[in-house]
Amino acid sequence: MIYAPPDGAMNVRPVLAEIRERALAWREGMRAQIINFTLLPMSPVDRSFLQQSVGNGPIQLILRDYSTCRVQATGIRNVWSVQFFNSVDDIILDTLEVGGIPEIALAAAEDLEDSAERLHEIIEACSK
């Protein structure tokens, strides 16, 4: 259910309707749908009501590479907040992804293979 937004809200109601529609339609194996808030005209009231409406889920990842990325599960199944930050912690890309675990949070196949090899070495060393 989408509650009436507060006074001062401009665009949050259709955005919430789109999130709901995409979340209900998404199935395993489908490509994630991304809503880019960086490009949407949303007032501070819109953003606050959106955050209140989707809520926070139990998972938050902070990924550091060339920049910092925060992946946060929302209170809606298969809806993830993905934000990228520059070197002074300003948000440079703010999205919601409707789908499975966001691709940015998945380990590369090479990393999984390397981890398996290292675990095998640790198990062998411990069994001696």
Side-chain angles (χ1 to χ4, degrees), residues 5-64:
D7 291 340
M10 298 180 343
N11 297 314
V12 71
R13 191 174 207 142
V15 170
L16 285 170
E18 181 177 354
I19 292 167
R20 180 183 61 202
E21 179 182 318
R22 290 181 179 195
L24 289 171
W26 188 83
R27 299 291 180 262
E28 189 69 38
M30 291 175 66
R31 185 174 178 189
Q33 298 290 314
I34 299 173
I35 301 169
N36 184 344
F37 293 109
T38 308
L39 303 175
L40 284 178
M42 301 217 15
S43 71
V45 174
D46 285 324
R47 290 186 179 277
S48 177
F49 187 71
L50 175 69
Q51 175 59 42
Q52 176 187 348
S53 297
V54 299
N56 289 329
I59 299 169
Q60 180 175 341
L61 305 170
I62 304 293
L63 309 165
R64 296 189 194 330

